[in-house]
Amino acid sequence: MRVITGRYKGRHFDIPRTFKARPTTDFAKENIFNVLPQYVDLEGAEALDLFSGTGSITLELLSRGCSRVVSVEMDRDHHRFIQQCLQKVGDTAGVAVRGDVFRFLKSCRQQFDLVFADPPYALKELPQVPDLVLDGALLKEGGILVFEHGKEHDFSHHARFVEHRRYGSVNFSIFR
């Protein structure tokens, strides 16, 4: 896993082979991050990374200037890996929370400029995630949700849907 650009550009982190999570491909990550400036200025932004997995998105957000990134991951080993990566780059703006995303969403009282959610594609509750984020008042005014999902889901009819992007087998729906 590598950081594409920003202050940690080129930094590599070796993901243990035992991990179940698959990081967003560099191709997809680079392309979606090229789209984000149309919607949000990452410099100084506060972001939430749900279903963080390897922490790839968290690191990219911090590298690109976010002032605070909260990373939520349930798996103990993945959470520890994210903490280790944050320690390696020495970035105290990254906060790794170990916990269930659905519980976190119910109790979170913070607001963010950007919420990035990348649940496991096979997660049965996947279709409900956008509404949980959007109805939970997690976004600041003008904030966006970037939702990564498989091709079998179409959110284009959602009232707050803005756009869909596909990069290879990776799909992103953007909500406002």
Side-chain angles (χ1 to χ4, degrees):
M1 170 179 87
R2 75 178 173 101
V3 178
I4 307 284
T5 198
R7 64 179 167 244
Y8 307 131
K9 179 181 179 176
R11 294 285 302 260
H12 286 268
F13 301 89
D14 293 325
I15 300 168
R17 294 185 193 275
T18 57
F19 275 24
K20 297 168 249 145
R22 38 106 195 96
T24 302
T25 65
D26 283 354
F27 174 71
K29 184 168 62 170
E30 183 171 8
N31 280 288
I32 196 62
F33 272 90
N34 286 338
V35 171
L36 288 181
Q38 297 174 35
Y39 296 101
V40 64
D41 182 3
L42 293 179
E43 190 65 42
E46 294 181 304
L48 175 61
D49 181 11
L50 300 172
F51 306 96
S52 299
T54 63
S56 171
I57 298 299
T58 293
L59 291 167
E60 195 69 42
L61 289 166
L62 289 167
S63 184
R64 290 172 186 247
C66 284
S67 64
R68 179 173 160 80
V69 179
V70 177
S71 172
V72 183
E73 174 55 47
M74 187 166 60
D75 184 275
R76 180 192 58 194
D77 294 332
H78 293 210
H79 174 260
R80 187 179 311 119
F81 179 76
I82 294 167
Q83 286 182 312
Q84 290 169 351
C85 290
L86 291 171
Q87 288 171 351
K88 283 179 186 174
V89 297
D91 201 320
T92 58
V95 178
V97 174
R98 181 170 174 237
D100 178 77
V101 166
F102 298 101
R103 286 188 184 160
F104 179 87
L105 290 174
K106 288 179 184 173
S107 65
C108 182
R109 299 294 170 249
Q110 300 171 57
Q111 288 192 315
F112 302 91
D113 299 292
L114 168 68
V115 175
F116 193 101
D118 178 13
Y121 289 3
L123 183 72
K124 69 177 175 143
E125 299 91 352
L126 184 143
Q128 288 87 46
V129 172
D131 284 332
L132 291 171
V133 171
L134 297 168
D135 296 344
L138 291 170
L139 292 178
K140 292 180 182 179
E141 188 171 329
I144 64 165
L145 164 64
V146 177
F147 188 59
E148 184 174 334
H149 56 86
K151 65 182 176 188
E152 60 279 350
H153 295 285
D154 178 7
F155 295 96
S156 62
H157 299 300
H158 192 283
R160 295 181 63 185
F161 174 84
V162 177
E163 114 172 75
H164 173 260
R165 296 283 179 135
R166 189 180 93 224
Y167 305 108
S169 62
V170 180
N171 291 266
F172 295 100
S173 289
I174 300 173
F175 302 85
R176 199 168 231 148

